[in-house]
Amino acid sequence: MKKEFYKILSLLVLGITIGINPLIAQNTDLPNVVILATGGTIAGSAETGTQTGYTSGQIGIQTMIDAVPGISELANITGEQISNVGSQDMSIEIWLTLANRINELLATDEVDGIVITHGTDTQEETAFFLNLVVKSDKPVVTTGSMRPSTAVSAEGPLNLYNAVAVAANPKAKGHGVLVVMNDQILGAHSVTKTNTTSVQTFMAPGHGQMGTVIYGQMEFYRSQHGINTTASEFSVDGITELPRVDIIYACADCSPDLIDLSVKAGAKGIVIAGVGNGNMTASMLNACKKAADKGVVVVRSTRVPTGYVLRNAEINDDENNTIASDELNAQKSRVLLMLALLKKRDNKNIQELFYSY
Ligand code: ASP
């Protein structure tokens, strides 16, 4: 009895010291999961249950947890509100706060897994960023919803339940950062939003879903593609900002002006969401070469949802001083490039990063 008392006391003291809600030590038979809330439609609300208009990031973390019956049987849960924004307003500042907090929490023995609630618009970018900078093999899972919390058939509560079930399960360890939405487990490397309004919006073209989770019962079929978390060379330790990288979308008869403007505005990197295999108009390519010759790193990605951008295929990257994005879409190419540019590297090294992450 006395021994148990001292065990609980020491957990409480540790919890207070590292800033975790001490209630995390509730049931020693259950894993401890921390939910970090950032906003999004999962925390959104509307006047009625059937309207299309609503505001993201309205309800707090505790209301979200309270809306999920049975969640406390999966894990001891504590919640922290990191931000409350629609993910169209997700920022590098929030990313850095989130990543540092996750690394701090997962470094302790008291936390077994993390769930991040997030808007769906930029969820793939946050998940991929965390996949590159989280320094732990413990489960880190992002989730969200397409319908606001007040909607008829809001899917947020079940997504949150499934996300906690995955984060609490040791089978999810070592898989990198995961996205759990609509009964699917997807890898941060490959996941992308494919539909503007449907609850079946997240897919992983090329690699497919990594697993399934149904009412908390989960199964993995494959591991995450690409280097991640503990094997990643990237770190945000002591980092307060990331270098500016712009994305420029290509189309028929596209002018080079935006590339020149981006360079003028101080971009250290430019990602082209090219047509087809990372192609663009001759004048755009010329502007890219000029930018690259000035030291701006130019990555050719694609606006096409599936497939590779191949080095030296239709465009000669060696001659134009450009990088091929390989499998990464434009928004994930930007994330990787911002992290890569934290250190001085040559194009050969950056190209290797695109092949391996
Ligand atoms: N605009 C919302 C957001 O990303 C959409 C959503 O969460 O589904 O925050």
Side-chain angles (χ1 to χ4, degrees):
M1 179 64 189
K2 216 170 166 191
K3 217 169 135 202
E4 196 55 22
F5 170 78
Y6 282 115
K7 191 173 165 202
I8 291 172
L9 186 69
S10 64
L11 284 171
L12 286 172
V13 170
L14 183 71
I16 292 162
T17 315
I18 62 170
I20 303 170
N21 181 336
L23 287 179
I24 203 161
Q26 278 159 359
N27 179 344
T28 45
D29 293 336
L30 288 178
N32 298 325
V33 171
V34 180
I35 302 178
L36 302 176
T38 69
T41 298
I42 192 167
S45 70
E47 293 278 296
T48 72
T50 51
Q51 68 189 67
T52 48
Y54 67 94
T55 314
S56 276
Q58 294 298 296
I59 66 166
I61 173 69
Q62 197 53 49
T63 315
M64 247 192 294
I65 295 171
D66 292 345
V68 190
I71 200 167
S72 57
E73 282 148 40
L74 297 172
N76 296 314
I77 305 207
T78 39
E80 290 180 24
Q81 196 79 45
I82 299 288
S83 63
N84 212 352
V85 295
S87 73
Q88 54 271 43
D89 280 321
M90 185 47 59
S91 64
I92 287 167
E93 196 185 338
I94 301 174
W95 279 354
L96 293 172
T97 306
L98 199 53
N100 286 324
R101 186 63 181 141
I102 292 170
N103 283 332
E104 182 182 27
L105 288 167
L106 292 183
T108 74
D109 290 341
E110 314 313 318
V111 179
D112 300 297
I114 302 277
V115 169
I116 299 131
T117 57
H118 197 290
T120 60
D121 289 354
T122 60
Q123 188 161 165
E124 66 196 80
E125 290 165 63
T126 301
F128 186 59
F129 173 74
L130 296 175
N131 201 40
L132 302 185
V133 300
V134 164
K135 299 287 164 210
S136 169
D137 68 351
K138 293 179 188 171
V140 175
V141 179
T142 74
T143 193
S145 76
M146 293 298 284
R147 296 180 182 142
S149 65
T150 45
V152 172
S153 296
E155 88 283 25
L158 184 54
N159 284 344
L160 185 55
Y161 182 89
N162 281 335
V164 169
V166 173
N169 195 320
K171 276 202 246 164
K173 259 185 136 176
H175 276 292
V177 175
L178 304 169
V179 173
V180 168
M181 291 278 295
N182 206 28
D183 294 354
Q184 295 187 317
I185 305 171
L186 302 128
H189 168 275
S190 316
V191 68
T192 193
K193 185 173 181 178
T194 65
N195 190 290
T196 52
T197 54
S198 167
V199 295
Q200 181 41 38
T201 185
F202 282 103
M203 292 190 192
H207 292 277
Q209 70 191 78
M210 284 174 60
T212 297
V213 49
I214 299 177
Y215 298 115
Q217 301 298 311
M218 55 176 274
E219 192 184 348
F220 274 97
Y221 323 134
R222 68 187 92 227
S223 39
Q224 174 107 239
H225 185 80
I227 300 174
N228 59 69
T229 56
T230 48
S232 164
E233 70 189 78
F234 301 109
S235 161
V236 288
D237 227 16
I239 300 294
T240 53
E241 55 188 345
L242 297 179
R244 174 170 170 165
V245 173
D246 292 337
I247 297 177
I248 296 174
Y249 202 92
C251 59
D253 205 25
C254 207
S255 116
D257 295 356
L258 293 179
I259 295 168
D260 298 336
L261 279 171
S262 168
V263 174
K264 246 196 220 150
K268 302 287 178 276
I270 295 174
V271 174
I272 306 292
V275 294
N277 188 355
N279 291 317
M280 63 199 88
T281 54
S283 60
M284 255 181 111
L285 185 58
N286 192 34
C288 284
K289 182 168 172 15
K290 271 196 339 215
D293 291 345
K294 278 191 192 149
V296 177
V297 178
V298 180
V299 173
R300 295 187 303 108
S301 181
T302 178
R303 64 181 203 181
V304 179
T306 61
Y308 290 82
V309 172
L310 301 171
R311 186 170 180 88
N312 294 335
E314 275 189 83
I315 287 180
N316 188 322
D317 293 290
D318 294 341
E319 273 174 16
N320 289 290
N321 213 0
T322 46
I323 315 271
S325 75
D326 197 57
E327 271 197 280
L328 293 183
N329 65 23
Q331 54 274 32
K332 288 189 192 166
S333 295
R334 173 176 176 261
V335 170
L336 178 56
L337 187 54
M338 286 192 293
L339 288 170
L341 291 173
L342 285 172
K343 200 172 123 181
K344 199 163 169 38
R345 303 169 189 268
D346 59 21
N347 274 8
K348 193 164 170 271
N349 178 248
I350 297 175
Q351 182 64 73
E352 278 309 315
L353 298 177
F354 275 84
Y355 288 146
S356 27
Y357 285 85

